[in-house]
Amino acid sequence: MSATTDTLQLTPFEVLADYERRSLAHIAGMPEEVEASGLWRGIGFRVGSRYLVSSIAEVNEILTFPQLTVVPGTRPWLLGVANVRGNLVPIIDLRNFVENERSQLADSSRVLIIRQHGGSVGLLVDEVLGQRNFSDEQRAEAEAESDSRYGRFVPERYQLGDVLWGLFSMASLVRTPEFLQASA
């Protein structure tokens, strides 16, 4: 019996399921990598000279720097609000919030959209470095984050190649009282 004859006897759902099964068979090692114990994925980004990563579940979207409307009477780290697909999203300069030093906009600057109670917020970062995979074995033996400004958001660090990545908790960030109080 030919493949064409077999396909004609299958329901449309069965044909699609067969296509999926055959295409996944060509991706060697993929299921093991995704389901490996202690392996997790994050979005890597840079703020100044600091390399940070947040869980892929904490970052909803990555944007180029949008057009902003300035909001008077706010802290300097609140750059303004942007219209992102019909939703007003406050855009925060992450470096200015944490280090009290303004970020310099460049072609590599990006905005990470994250969810918080009551809606989304955008965080300006110097560069997004893409998806990174980490395992428990890469957890750095070094002490916790030494810079207290970042320490409250970076509970642990991971060594990947020559780079020490701080695990940045977006959940901790959006719960800090200062972050919730953007008015000057």
Side-chain angles (χ1 to χ4, degrees), residues 61-68 79 81-85 89 91 105-113 122-128:
E61 193 171 352
I62 301 167
L63 305 174
T64 57
F65 192 76
Q67 183 176 349
L68 296 179
L79 300 174
V81 293
N83 182 338
V84 178
R85 280 176 295 296
V89 177
I91 305 297
L105 283 180
D107 290 340
S108 62
S109 298
R110 294 291 180 266
V111 173
L112 303 176
I113 302 294
L123 302 175
L124 174 64
V125 298
D126 293 319
E127 185 177 15
V128 170

Side-chain angles (χ1 to χ4, degrees), residues 34-171:
V34 171
E35 297 172 8
S37 174
L39 181 69
W40 63 274
R41 293 182 186 160
I43 299 295
F45 57 98
R46 185 177 56 77
V47 175
S49 61
R50 188 172 301 275
Y51 289 87
L52 302 167
V53 63
S54 289
S55 168
I56 206 163
E58 289 189 305
V59 178
N60 292 350
E61 193 171 352
I62 301 167
L63 305 174
T64 57
F65 192 76
Q67 183 176 349
L68 296 179
T69 300
V70 176
V71 180
T74 59
R75 306 230 181 222
W77 43 264
L78 177 60
L79 300 174
V81 293
N83 182 338
V84 178
R85 280 176 295 296
N87 296 308
L88 289 181
V89 177
I91 305 297
I92 308 298
D93 181 343
L94 184 58
R95 185 175 191 182
N96 198 345
F97 178 78
V98 177
E99 299 179 25
N100 206 23
E101 186 177 321
R102 283 198 83 109
S103 294
Q104 298 298 314
L105 283 180
D107 290 340
S108 62
S109 298
R110 294 291 180 266
V111 173
L112 303 176
I113 302 294
I114 60 171
R115 292 217 188 275
Q116 67 171 1
H117 182 69
S120 295
V121 64
L123 302 175
L124 174 64
V125 298
D126 293 319
E127 185 177 15
V128 170
L129 302 163
Q131 181 176 305
R132 298 288 188 263
N133 295 318
F134 295 91
S135 67
D136 289 340
E137 293 81 39
Q138 292 167 316
R139 187 174 282 132
E141 296 295 327
E143 296 292 316
E145 177 62 51
S146 58
D147 186 336
S148 62
R149 300 173 299 178
Y150 282 91
R152 58 191 176 153
F153 309 119
V154 180
E156 54 192 16
R157 298 187 291 180
Y158 287 80
Q159 187 75 42
L160 185 60
D162 294 337
V163 178
L164 189 60
W165 295 84
L167 176 58
F168 192 90
S169 172
M170 298 293 185

